[in-house]
């Protein structure tokens, strides 16, 4: 962290943006192929041209700029720039191919790459439009940096720092490159499994592909205006729920589960995920029924289970219309969305591990009342001792998360939106969940679209990197005596 006292090297950041653009140009080639298959040749030309320009820009940046070893500060900046930059690149062909206003196209791409699912879709979207935004969610779910690590970056200090900034220091393989490739393999296997489940349910192939990409990435984009509720029955919502849960469990856990299946149940985050799903379902049913019992509670149960899991995993599919819900129901779903799934999964929100740490801290405070003052009682999650620095980072993130949520909701209320809907919509964006009560529409004010874009990006990169990106000290060395600003180039 002390490295941030000196400014970043913008040339190093630009060179690795070149790596990023080269990989993302390949991402844009998939909609090109889909456009040909779906018979939308004009869109294929647009996406193909965008892919060529993106690849050319990335190649040029790599050739012109010298090679650098990334410091942690540059890796942080690259993490902060990845999602807004790639959203910008993908918004250009989307805007040209659909005729959407550019801000709406950018919103849609931010929502896709951050795996949120809020939408400003045009009145008559094409099949390519539905596929492309689901594809972006799938890419955003695995993380673009994983693709860069797995394809272009050679093993070394730079690879380690990019991995550390995006995923922490835990690894399931000896090197970060092999870890990234293993995580990618797990993601691909889960995707194929989810696709097979949806095809087994009888869902048409095109719909199954789009919903698989959106469910395993916990994204929530659907090909139907009524989301999963448009399919009816029990089987499809149930299998979608299974896919959402698979995407909300830490990918690093799956290789361990193959060796020892009991690892899944012993993982505290998984236990909290299922426990909160059960408890949340019971509470959500009570809010739906207004606190009254009766046989209708059993009829509400399937929709309640689906909606709670969808909200908790940050997926954003729905089987019911959320707009008519009571303020109590909306408030409860808002809280569930803010929790999110496991660290190391595709979900957003505060994350279950941070919630577990806070719960353990509360328990520890009460235990301390019955122990001698000199007793040593470390804060633990399972057998893992939580380092004080890690705890400070967790509490800082939670406080920043709540501050961003309150500020964003206030802007919505300033525009006349009632508090329940304002909190729900901003909670959905910040948790990258994607559920909506109908506030997010193409006709909403541009400022509110930008607020939701900022919330989605902050939720995906977990706030701190984007805040560091905006700090003057990140780019300039500030002399405290004179207030003079100097860039890293001037310092050199």
């Amino acid at each position: 962290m002390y490295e941030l006292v000196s400014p970043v090297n913008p040339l190093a950041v630009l060179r690795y943006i070149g790596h990023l653009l080269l990989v993302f140009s390949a991402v844009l080639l998939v909609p090109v192929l889909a456009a040909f298959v779906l018979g939308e040749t004009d869109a294929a030309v647009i996406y193909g041209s965008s892919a060529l320009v993106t690849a050319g820009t990335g190649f040029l940046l790599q050739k012109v700029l010298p090679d650098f070893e990334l410091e942690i500060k540059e890796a942080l900046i690259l993490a902060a720039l990845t999602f807004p930059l790639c959203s910008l690149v993908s918004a250009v062909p989307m805007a040209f191919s659909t005729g959407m206003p550019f801000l709406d196209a950018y919103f849609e791409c931010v929502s896709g790459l951050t795996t949120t699912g809020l939408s400003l879709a045009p009145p008559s979207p094409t099949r390519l439009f539905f596929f492309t935004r689901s594809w972006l969610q799938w890419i955003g779910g695995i993380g673009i940096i994983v693709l860069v690590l797995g394809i272009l970056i050679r093993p070394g200090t730079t690879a380690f720092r990019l991995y550390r900034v995006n995923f922490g220091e835990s690894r399931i393989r000896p090197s970060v490159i092999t870890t990234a490739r293993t995580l990618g393999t797990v993601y691909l296997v889960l995707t194929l499994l989810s696709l097979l489940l949806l095809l087994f349910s009888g869902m048409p192939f095109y719909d199954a592909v789009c919903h698989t990409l959106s469910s395993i990435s916990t994204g929530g984009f659907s090909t139907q205006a009524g989301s999963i509720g448009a399919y009816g029955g029990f089987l499809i919502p149930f299998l979608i729920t299974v896919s959402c849960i698979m995407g909300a469990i830490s990918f690093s856990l799956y290789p361990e589960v193959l060796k020892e299946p009991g690892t899944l149940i012993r993982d505290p985050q998984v236990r909290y995920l299922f426990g909160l799903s059960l408890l949340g379902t019971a509470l959500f049913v009570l809010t739906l029924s207004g606190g009254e019992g009766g046989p209708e509670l059993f009829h509400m149960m399937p929709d309640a289970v689906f909606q709670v899991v969808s909200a908790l995993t940050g997926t954003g599919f729905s089987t019911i219309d959320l707009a008519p819900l009571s303020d109590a129901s909306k408030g409860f779903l808002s809280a569930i969305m803010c929790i999110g799934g496991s660290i190391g999964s595709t979900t957003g929100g505060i994350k279950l591990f941070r919630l577990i740490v806070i719960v353990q801290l509360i328990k520890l405070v009460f235990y301390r009342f019955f122990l001698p003052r000199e007793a040593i009682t470390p804060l633990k999650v399972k057998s893992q001792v939580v380092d004080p620095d890690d705890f400070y980072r967790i509490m800082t993130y939670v406080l920043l998360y709540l501050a961003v949520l309150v500020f964003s909701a206030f802007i919505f209320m300033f525009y006349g939106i009632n508090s329940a809907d304002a909190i729900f919509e901003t909670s959905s964006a910040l948790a990258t969940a994607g559920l909506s009560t109908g506030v997010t529409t193409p006709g909403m004010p541009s400022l509110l679209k930008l607020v939701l874009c900022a919330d989605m990006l902050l939720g995906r990169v977990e706030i701190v990197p984007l805040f560091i990106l905006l700090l003057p000290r990140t780019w300039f060395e500030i002399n405290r005596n004179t207030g003079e600003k100097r860039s890293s180039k001037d310092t050199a």
Side-chain angles (χ1 to χ4, degrees):
M1 228 17 149
Y2 294 112
E3 291 176 351
L4 290 175
V5 173
S6 61
V8 300
N9 183 350
L11 296 181
V13 175
L14 276 174
R15 177 177 173 81
Y16 283 92
I17 284 177
H19 285 289
L20 180 66
L21 292 177
L22 276 175
V23 170
F24 200 73
S25 66
V27 170
L28 292 176
L29 289 177
V30 173
V32 176
L33 297 175
F36 281 120
V37 171
L38 297 171
E40 300 182 35
T41 52
D42 290 344
V45 172
I46 292 171
Y47 273 96
S49 301
S50 297
L52 285 175
V53 171
T54 303
T57 305
F59 180 78
L60 188 64
L61 287 174
Q62 282 190 308
K63 284 297 180 182
V64 170
L65 298 174
D67 197 7
F68 295 94
E69 284 286 0
L70 280 187
E71 303 289 347
I72 286 292
K73 55 192 175 186
E74 280 100 27
L76 276 169
I77 297 306
L78 193 63
L81 287 171
T82 294
F83 287 93
L85 177 62
C86 291
S87 298
L88 184 66
V89 170
S90 53
V92 173
M94 180 173 284
F96 279 111
S97 62
T98 62
M100 296 172 69
F102 185 78
L103 178 57
D104 289 10
Y106 183 71
F107 182 102
E108 204 75 19
C109 293
V110 168
S111 185
L113 286 170
T114 59
T115 71
T116 303
L118 291 172
S119 180
L120 300 178
S124 300
T126 65
R127 286 160 64 87
L128 177 65
F129 172 81
F130 285 133
F131 171 80
T132 300
R133 64 182 194 169
S134 294
W135 168 246
L136 290 177
Q137 285 195 324
W138 191 81
I139 290 296
I142 186 57
I144 303 164
I145 294 297
V146 167
L147 297 179
V148 173
L149 284 171
I151 298 172
L152 288 182
I153 303 296
R154 63 181 182 271
T157 304
T158 292
F160 172 75
R161 287 170 175 164
L162 277 174
Y163 180 90
R164 177 183 168 191
V165 164
N166 287 273
F167 307 103
E169 296 190 13
S170 61
R171 299 194 297 258
I172 57 176
R173 292 289 182 266
S175 75
V176 295
I177 299 294
T178 54
T179 296
R181 289 171 180 167
T182 300
L183 292 175
T185 301
V186 169
Y187 192 56
L188 184 59
V189 170
L190 292 178
T191 302
L192 294 174
L193 178 58
S194 177
L195 178 61
L196 290 174
L197 289 175
L198 292 184
L199 290 174
F200 170 78
S201 73
M203 184 180 283
F205 180 77
Y206 168 79
D207 287 10
V209 169
C210 291
H211 284 96
T212 293
L213 297 176
S214 294
S215 58
I216 207 67
S217 64
T218 62
F221 276 143
S222 176
T223 58
Q224 305 295 324
S227 191
I228 305 304
Y231 292 98
F234 170 78
L235 187 57
I236 288 178
F238 172 73
L239 294 178
I240 288 285
T241 301
V242 172
S243 295
C244 296
I245 291 173
M246 288 194 300
I249 294 173
S250 175
F251 291 167
S252 62
L253 191 62
Y254 286 104
E256 297 180 29
V257 171
L258 289 177
K259 299 176 184 176
E260 174 53 53
T263 306
L264 185 67
I265 303 301
R266 291 193 295 269
D267 184 76
Q269 293 189 92
V270 173
R271 293 165 71 173
Y272 264 69
L273 179 65
F274 284 102
L276 286 171
S277 297
L278 293 173
L279 178 62
T281 298
L283 294 175
F284 187 52
V285 167
L286 287 177
T287 66
L288 289 175
S289 64
E292 299 179 2
E296 63 274 8
L297 290 179
F298 293 100
H299 297 292
M300 296 176 183
M301 197 64 69
D303 286 331
V305 171
F306 183 89
Q307 216 55 70
V308 167
V309 172
S310 180
L312 181 60
T313 59
T315 308
F317 288 126
S318 60
T319 56
I320 57 176
D321 184 5
L322 303 179
L325 295 182
S326 66
D327 287 354
S329 295
K330 292 175 183 176
F332 177 76
L333 286 179
S334 297
I336 285 291
M337 284 189 290
C338 287
I339 294 174
S342 301
I343 284 181
S345 68
T346 61
T347 61
I350 291 172
K351 301 281 178 41
L352 289 168
F353 181 79
R354 295 188 180 102
L355 175 66
I356 294 170
V357 169
I358 293 171
V359 170
Q360 292 299 107
L361 174 65
I362 294 171
K363 289 168 63 177
L364 186 60
V365 168
F366 281 96
Y367 288 158
R368 290 290 302 174
F369 284 109
F370 302 97
L371 294 173
R373 183 182 297 272
E374 62 273 11
I376 299 174
T377 51
L379 181 61
K380 289 185 177 181
V381 175
K382 204 175 177 181
S383 59
Q384 176 185 351
V385 176
V386 179
D387 186 84
D389 287 341
D390 292 333
F391 176 71
Y392 297 148
R393 281 192 286 268
I394 288 171
M395 294 309 299
T396 299
Y397 176 73
V398 172
L399 291 174
L400 285 173
Y401 189 98
L402 295 176
V404 171
L405 177 60
V406 170
F407 182 71
S408 302
F410 175 77
I411 296 176
F412 271 71
M413 287 185 273
F414 183 78
Y415 272 81
I417 296 167
N418 70 72
S419 57
D421 286 344
I423 293 171
F424 188 96
E425 218 73 9
T426 51
S427 295
S428 181
L430 190 57
T432 66
L435 293 172
S436 177
T437 58
V439 173
T440 302
T441 63
M444 71 190 301
S446 296
L447 177 60
L448 298 187
K449 295 177 184 178
L450 291 172
V451 168
L452 291 180
C453 280
D455 285 344
M456 291 186 285
L457 291 168
L458 286 167
R460 186 63 179 85
V461 301
E462 299 204 329
I463 299 176
V464 173
L466 270 179
F467 278 12
I468 290 176
L469 174 67
L470 299 175
L471 288 174
R473 188 182 294 276
T474 301
W475 302 100
F476 302 99
E477 184 176 354
I478 299 175
N479 189 318
R480 294 189 177 183
N481 296 324
T482 65
E484 180 186 357
K485 297 180 179 179
R486 294 185 298 166
S487 68
S488 58
K489 184 177 178 181
D490 296 330
T491 305

